[in-house]
Amino acid sequence: MAWFKRSEKNISTENPKHDVPDGMWIKCDECGEMMHKKQWEANSYTCIKCGYHFRIGSEEYFSLLFDEGSFKEYDRKMKSVDTLKFTDSKPYDKRIEETIKKTELYDALRWGTGEINKLPAVICAMDFAFIGGSMGSVLGEKISRAIDKCLKNRTPLIIISSSGGARMMEGGISLMQLAKISTRLAKLADEKIPYISLITNPTTGGASASFAMQGDLNIAEPNALIGFAGPRVIKQATGKDLPKGFQRSDFVLEHGFLDLIVDRKNMKEKLAQLLNLLAK
Amino acid sequence: MALEFEKPILDLEQKIDEMRKMSDSLDISDEINRLESKVNELRRNVFDNLTPWQIVQLARHPNRPYTLDYIYLMTENFVELHGDRNFRDDKAVVGGFATLGDQTVMLIGQQKGRDTKSNLYRNFGMMNPEGYRKALRLMKLAEKFDKPVITLLDTPGAYPGIEAEERGQAEAIARNLIEMSRLKVPMIVVVIGEGASGGALGIGIGDRILMLKYCWYSVISPESCSSILWRSWDFKEQAADALKLTANDLLKLGIIDRIVDEPSGGAHRNHQEAAHMLKAALLEELDTVSKIKKDKLLDNRIKKFEKMGFWKD
């Protein structure tokens, strides 16, 4: 009776909690390979054996993509305000303070200017470690200011996404950040300044339904989870098993929503190549 | 169907009706008057003190007027237009040209069904990517012929389905957000029921955002919020409180511009009157935004959303 037998194992949406592991030896989450931290870093934080892309944060992306010494950060200490006085298991303002202490980050996105192979660029990079890369007012305001910088200096924009969606603790205000960012990006598009969306694992909900999918070019890292609804929600809503590779980079490219998939090791060169093509 | 907190009001109203029928043979007009003032007071008491969760329930009331009800009651000459010219006609969203007052407008809105059969047909008002693309096609059509766009929001969310993901649900909403930001005609948005997150916002950017009195609009439904943050479905009332999702809250937060009043007891008690109230508000708003020059209109639209948010530098 095959009809009640599951052909695939249950899909898993559990991602490892750590972003950049401590200690000198790193174990690959995918294939179990052990590598030395130095090896792993030199390999752009991907597995030396299977190429698995570990989740990394804004700090790592800035150092991977910008030329050494060119990065200048803005609005580093911009923080959330608990306007709604939102309390679930703990008050939102307390959650923010604890997360700041734990992650040494001030919000789920940082931005700055720098050069990529001598080409000036503005990069916004998200940190999934900060409340699941959730998008609130700070993220909306930081991206808006980054776009203003692009408009002022006619500099290309790159946004590196890694997000579970809008931040519930800011209610409707967080939803409006999608609108706020979109109206700014429309202006950037009208001025014909390039915007490259670099999508990393995972990018779902509000991020994917706004800036992550609004690039002139949408680029993903290999095997990133990219979608509107998360796999668990879809499974629950439809009661269906999800196809193999569902919502992963290859799947999203095959369905026509990505321009290309680029290995993290080649990302800087590829971005420089594209920015050059658009500039000349 | 009646909600729990409506029942005492409906019971009393029924009693008054029964007494009216008897009043031909009996002189009980004093008693009827007494009960009528009592029911008015009761209604006022209940509706002045609604909890956010009760408002969510009213927004979902199965007798509430839906998009097509408003369109037929407010406009003339409505011609429904179908399809995204690409894949399919999404029945969860309807749209078309109509005459409102004395001008042609484009009306677009999510459409729910009233019974199981029509709800399946309408997919419970949950749009697929082709729905967002259909809405965008109609908006562009309105822009081409310089007609204002009015969108009516009433959805429990964008459809979370396998095929929806395959056809790019995220991209469809993302594209609409950009295109609505720079559509060169006046755009008025009205939340007429449920405004659930990105699925609602996908047709929800405009120059003026209106909201009927007993609606909710937020980043997530109270139930889903409860299940994620409280890890249980049982905290929906708390979640509804915490999310600040009512029209009053959103007006204070600067997310909406205007609350449109509803008939006493809610829009579902009198569709005609609800439509009349909304129509009056829409005509006023259209008159205001139509006077703004095109380039100024778009600048204002950007500025409007730019202001939204709270942070500490």
Side-chain angles (χ1 to χ4, degrees), chain B residues 85-296:
Chain B
R85 292 286 194 276
N86 200 348
F87 178 70
R88 200 177 62 166
D89 183 42
D90 188 340
K91 307 295 183 196
V93 60
V94 295
F97 286 118
T99 312
L100 181 73
D102 54 7
Q103 64 176 321
T104 304
V105 296
M106 170 60 76
L107 283 143
I108 300 165
Q110 285 119 355
Q111 178 66 36
K112 290 179 175 175
R114 278 213 196 279
D115 50 29
T116 309
K117 197 179 160 199
S118 62
N119 254 323
L120 288 174
Y121 180 70
R122 297 292 181 188
N123 199 29
F124 300 85
M126 292 186 285
M127 289 162 71
N128 271 285
E130 55 272 20
Y132 293 100
R133 291 172 186 137
K134 166 179 164 180
L136 182 58
R137 181 180 81 82
L138 298 183
M139 290 179 204
K140 293 272 188 187
L141 194 62
E143 183 184 42
K144 182 172 178 179
F145 297 105
D146 202 24
K147 308 297 178 211
V149 174
I150 297 168
T151 61
L152 305 179
L153 275 46
D154 189 12
T155 182
Y159 185 59
I162 294 173
E163 293 81 8
E165 294 291 324
E166 288 174 342
R167 294 195 293 274
Q169 189 72 290
E171 192 273 348
I173 294 172
R175 178 176 302 273
N176 278 19
L177 298 185
I178 286 257
E179 296 300 333
M180 285 185 286
S181 303
R182 52 182 179 186
L183 203 78
K184 294 186 194 66
V185 288
M187 300 179 75
I188 297 175
V189 178
V190 192
V191 185
I192 59 164
E194 297 190 87
S197 199
L201 187 66
I203 59 165
I205 288 186
D207 305 302
R208 299 282 292 168
I209 317 290
L210 280 51
M211 190 160 168
L212 299 198
K213 202 172 176 184
Y214 305 123
C215 294
W216 71 272
Y217 189 18
S218 193
V219 68
I220 191 166
S221 73
E223 289 92 335
S224 302
C225 183
S226 160
S227 91
I228 296 171
L229 290 184
W230 281 266
R231 297 180 193 281
S232 146
W233 296 96
D234 302 333
F235 295 84
K236 50 188 191 290
E237 283 96 344
Q238 282 98 318
D241 281 341
L243 285 166
K244 302 282 185 289
L245 42 62
T246 67
N248 279 329
D249 289 324
L250 297 177
L251 188 70
K252 270 184 232 149
L253 291 168
I255 289 173
I256 61 164
D257 300 299
R258 174 174 179 166
I259 299 173
V260 181
D261 207 2
E262 293 190 24
S264 147
H268 61 285
R269 300 297 306 274
N270 191 336
H271 288 199
Q272 195 87 40
E273 199 187 338
H276 183 75
M277 289 162 132
L278 178 56
K279 183 177 176 177
L282 280 173
L283 288 175
E284 264 179 47
E285 297 295 344
L286 271 178
D287 192 47
T288 314
V289 286
S290 300
K291 284 184 187 134
I292 304 168
K293 286 210 177 79
K294 286 285 142 70
D295 49 338
K296 186 90 180 139

Side-chain angles (χ1 to χ4, degrees), chain A residues 91-104:
Chain A
Y92 178 46
D93 50 4
K94 195 168 166 215
R95 189 181 293 276
I96 290 284
E97 287 310 320
E98 286 178 9
T99 311
I100 290 173
K101 205 171 280 173
K102 197 176 75 193
T103 60
E104 295 174 356

Side-chain angles (χ1 to χ4, degrees), chain A residues 8-274:
Chain A
E8 293 274 329
K9 274 200 294 187
N10 275 352
I11 51 124
S12 163
T13 59
E14 288 302 315
N15 286 298
K17 296 280 180 249
H18 55 92
D19 277 4
V20 177
D22 302 326
M24 287 321 283
W25 289 91
I26 316 286
K27 188 179 177 191
C28 176
D29 293 325
E30 189 70 23
C31 73
E33 177 77 2
M34 294 298 290
M35 29 190 171
H36 192 271
K37 200 170 180 179
K38 288 264 161 61
Q39 262 182 312
W40 175 65
E41 282 169 6
N43 210 37
S44 303
Y45 310 94
T46 65
C47 173
I48 52 167
K49 191 174 164 208
C50 73
Y52 171 76
H53 281 52
F54 285 70
R55 188 152 64 216
I56 54 175
S58 56
E59 191 62 36
E60 288 77 26
Y61 278 110
F62 289 134
S63 75
L64 281 174
L65 299 178
F66 276 139
D67 300 342
E68 212 177 323
S70 72
F71 172 52
K72 184 179 177 220
E73 184 170 3
Y74 293 85
D75 304 316
R76 175 169 170 79
K77 295 194 168 176
M78 193 191 288
K79 279 201 298 191
S80 299
V81 177
D82 184 13
T83 316
L84 306 187
K85 302 274 170 260
F86 193 103
T87 301
D88 47 285
S89 54
K90 60 181 97 155
Y92 178 46
D93 50 4
K94 195 168 166 215
R95 189 181 293 276
I96 290 284
E97 287 310 320
E98 286 178 9
T99 311
I100 290 173
K101 205 171 280 173
K102 197 176 75 193
T103 60
E104 295 174 356
L105 297 162
Y106 288 83
D107 200 75
L109 181 133
R110 293 167 65 201
W111 80 278
T113 55
E115 290 177 348
I116 301 173
N117 288 358
K118 302 249 180 325
L119 297 163
V122 168
I123 297 184
C124 301
M126 294 191 70
D127 282 286
F128 196 82
F130 199 96
I131 318 187
S134 55
M135 312 157 55
S137 295
V138 173
L139 176 132
E141 181 61 17
K142 278 190 171 182
I143 293 182
S144 295
R145 291 186 190 181
I147 295 171
D148 285 345
K149 181 70 89 185
C150 295
L151 286 166
K152 193 170 158 225
N153 302 335
R154 296 201 64 82
T155 316
L157 172 71
I158 298 168
I159 303 180
I160 306 168
S161 315
S162 178
S163 171
R167 190 173 293 166
M168 282 171 280
M169 302 81 159
E170 292 188 26
I173 305 163
S174 69
L175 181 65
M176 290 306 129
Q177 303 311 307
L178 276 67
K180 176 169 170 167
I181 295 163
S182 299
T183 52
R184 300 307 276 165
L185 282 175
K187 187 146 174 111
L188 195 72
D190 287 341
E191 294 293 325
K192 303 201 188 311
I193 297 168
Y195 163 42
I196 296 176
S197 166
L198 173 50
I199 309 169
T200 74
N201 184 48
T203 296
T204 57
S208 68
S210 63
F211 56 85
M213 279 290 163
Q214 288 166 340
D216 294 309
L217 303 172
N218 294 336
I219 300 176
E221 287 189 344
N223 209 33
L225 180 80
I226 305 162
F228 178 67
R232 212 172 352 177
V233 173
I234 297 171
K235 214 170 139 71
Q236 202 173 43
T238 61
K240 289 181 194 162
D241 282 330
L242 306 178
K244 200 165 187 234
F246 182 63
Q247 294 182 315
R248 295 285 167 180
S249 300
D250 282 333
F251 174 97
V252 182
L253 183 129
E254 287 308 316
H255 282 92
F257 298 102
L258 293 174
D259 289 279
L260 55 164
I261 298 170
V262 178
D263 198 288
R264 195 183 286 156
K265 292 196 288 292
N266 309 324
M267 192 62 81
K268 182 173 180 176
E269 290 308 314
K270 188 58 80 179
L271 289 173
Q273 184 190 4
L274 290 165

